């Protein structure tokens, strides 16, 4: 059956889920305190304006440092927005009712994915202000504009991958607590523990020193690691192409390749998630 974009988006009742989440966030009552969410948003906005003003005042190009901070913050925040996407429906016993509607698994997936991608774009836009303010207000542009742009493209595709990973985990677990534990465990293992193990066992990460299969894995893994790639771009001199540490590609070339790698992974995870949703719809949860 061919995919009809009109059915997936324009005539998809699930696309309103994001709107319901926003309305629920701004709903106040006796248990939350009247206007509490507005006060929080106001305080965050004041901090944001102050932060931008301090960036302009410093006259330093901290664009890549802010990008690294952005990666850490959003990588921590995004799983919290996605782990209940499917497992929460099953936990609240609302999945059976959803599966009995005329919505297809593709429509359900599109609805669950759509507003979360919109959230990623909004957060990217929020962080883009300080990043480019810092780059343009610096007396000396330490980081080339191309590096800053590539860093943002890599961040965008990485965050999309995190969201797709969260949907896949949520679709294959029955409880939200299991989803969030598995999701953060996967991120912890892939982003922190594996690099620690590579360092602990003294595996070579320079192409000129590769000796066996494990060295090849260590070299490739470090080049595909989002934090390491962003750090290499920020240093402008990592992965030196001179002397004994010659690499086949520069950090800029690797950063150009990585977004396609992340998008391919995200597409594969969406395919697996769609298969899981089809199975759940047939089994009614």
């Amino acid at each position: 059956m061919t995919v009809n974009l009109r059915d997936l988006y324009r005539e998809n009742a699930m696309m309103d889920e994001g709107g319901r989440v926003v309305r629920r966030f701004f709903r106040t009552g006796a248990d939350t305190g009247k206007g509490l969410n507005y006060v929080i948003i106001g305080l965050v906005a004041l901090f944001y304006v102050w932060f931008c003003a301090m960036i302009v005042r410093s006259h330093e190009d901290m664009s890549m440092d802010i990008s690294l901070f952005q990666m850490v913050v959003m990588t921590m925040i995004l799983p919290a927005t996605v782990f209940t996407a499917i497992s929460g429906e099953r936990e609240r016993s609302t999945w059976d009712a959803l599966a009995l509607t005329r919505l297809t698994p593709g429509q359900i997936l599109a609805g669950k994915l759509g507003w979360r991608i919109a959230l990623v774009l909004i957060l990217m836009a929020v962080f883009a202000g300080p990043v480019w303010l810092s780059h343009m207000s610096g007396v000396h542009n330490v980081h080339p504009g191309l590096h800053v742009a590539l860093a943002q493209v890599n961040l965008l595709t990485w965050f999309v991958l995190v969201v797709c990973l969260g949907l896949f985990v949520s679709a294959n677990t029955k409880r939200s607590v299991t989803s969030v534990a598995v999701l953060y465990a996967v991120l912890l293992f892939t982003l922190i523990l594996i690099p620690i193990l590579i360092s602990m066992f003294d595996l070579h990460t320079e192409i000129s020193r590769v000796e066996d299969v494990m060295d090849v894995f260590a070299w490739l893994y470090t080049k595909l690691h989002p934090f390491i790639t962003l750090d290499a771009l920020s240093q402008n001199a990592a992965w030196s192409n001179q002397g004994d540490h010659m690499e086949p590609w520069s950090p800029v070339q690797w950063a150009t390749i990585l977004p396609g790698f992340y998008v391919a992974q995200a597409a594969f995870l969406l395919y697996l998630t769609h298969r899981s949703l089809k199975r759940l719809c047939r089994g009614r949860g």
Side-chain angles (χ1 to χ4, degrees):
M1 182 170 57
T2 59
V3 177
N4 190 322
L5 294 180
R6 181 176 179 180
D7 291 338
L8 281 180
Y9 295 101
R10 293 185 59 186
E11 298 182 2
N12 184 359
M14 283 297 297
M15 296 305 293
D16 188 46
E17 184 181 71
R20 292 195 298 270
V21 171
V22 172
R23 289 192 293 271
R24 196 157 54 240
F25 177 79
F26 286 106
R27 188 181 302 149
T28 56
D31 57 335
T32 59
K34 188 175 181 179
L36 178 60
N37 291 334
Y38 292 98
V39 171
I40 294 173
I41 291 174
L43 291 174
V44 172
L46 283 175
F47 173 78
Y48 182 79
V49 172
W50 174 84
F51 185 55
C52 291
M54 292 301 294
I55 286 173
V56 173
R57 182 181 179 183
S58 70
H59 300 297
E60 293 183 18
D61 184 0
M62 301 180 293
S63 53
M64 297 301 289
D65 297 316
I66 298 172
S67 296
L68 284 165
F69 174 72
Q70 174 186 359
M71 172 172 277
V72 173
V73 170
M74 288 186 63
T75 301
M76 294 175 61
I77 289 176
L78 288 176
T81 70
V82 73
F83 73 93
T84 61
I86 309 298
S87 59
E89 299 276 6
R90 301 173 73 184
E91 200 171 33
R92 294 189 299 268
S93 300
T94 56
W95 174 259
D96 288 345
L98 187 61
L100 288 171
T101 63
R102 299 181 61 184
L103 292 170
T104 66
Q107 288 176 316
I108 295 173
L109 179 58
K112 297 290 184 181
L113 177 67
W115 72 269
R116 290 174 171 90
I117 296 299
L119 176 63
V120 168
L121 294 174
I122 291 171
L123 291 175
M124 288 290 297
V126 168
F127 275 99
V131 167
W132 288 104
L133 268 177
S134 179
H135 178 68
M136 292 185 294
S137 63
V139 175
H140 302 289
N141 285 330
V142 178
H143 309 294
L146 175 62
H147 288 208
V148 180
L150 280 174
Q152 291 298 302
V153 172
N154 274 266
L155 288 178
L156 174 60
T157 53
W158 165 250
F159 297 144
V160 170
L161 175 57
V162 171
V163 169
C164 293
L165 174 63
L167 286 174
F168 171 72
V169 171
S170 186
N172 288 278
T173 50
K174 293 184 178 181
R175 296 178 59 84
S176 298
V177 66
T178 306
S179 298
V180 70
V182 170
L183 184 53
Y184 277 110
V186 169
L187 290 174
L188 176 67
F189 183 75
T190 56
L191 296 179
I192 299 177
L193 293 185
I194 291 183
I196 289 175
L197 290 173
I198 289 174
S199 175
M200 183 184 301
F201 290 100
D202 196 27
L203 296 178
H204 300 147
T205 57
E206 295 88 14
I207 191 65
S208 59
R209 300 179 64 192
V210 168
E211 298 175 354
D212 53 31
V213 174
M214 293 305 296
D215 284 340
V216 172
F217 166 79
W219 171 78
L220 185 60
Y221 187 84
T222 54
K223 297 302 181 286
L224 298 178
H225 194 290
F227 287 94
I228 295 174
T229 299
L230 194 59
D231 184 59
L233 278 175
S234 69
Q235 294 180 27
N236 296 335
W239 308 345
S240 172
N241 287 318
Q242 298 179 359
D244 296 332
H245 300 289
M246 183 171 291
E247 295 287 348
W249 291 297
S250 68
V252 171
Q253 290 171 314
W254 274 108
T256 305
I257 295 170
L258 268 187
F261 175 73
Y262 293 148
V263 168
Q265 283 188 304
F268 182 64
L269 286 172
L270 287 180
Y271 166 74
L272 295 179
T273 305
H274 184 256
R275 290 188 58 181
S276 298
L277 293 185
K278 288 172 67 175
R279 174 177 50 80
L280 289 175
C281 286
R282 287 195 299 267
R284 298 289 192 270

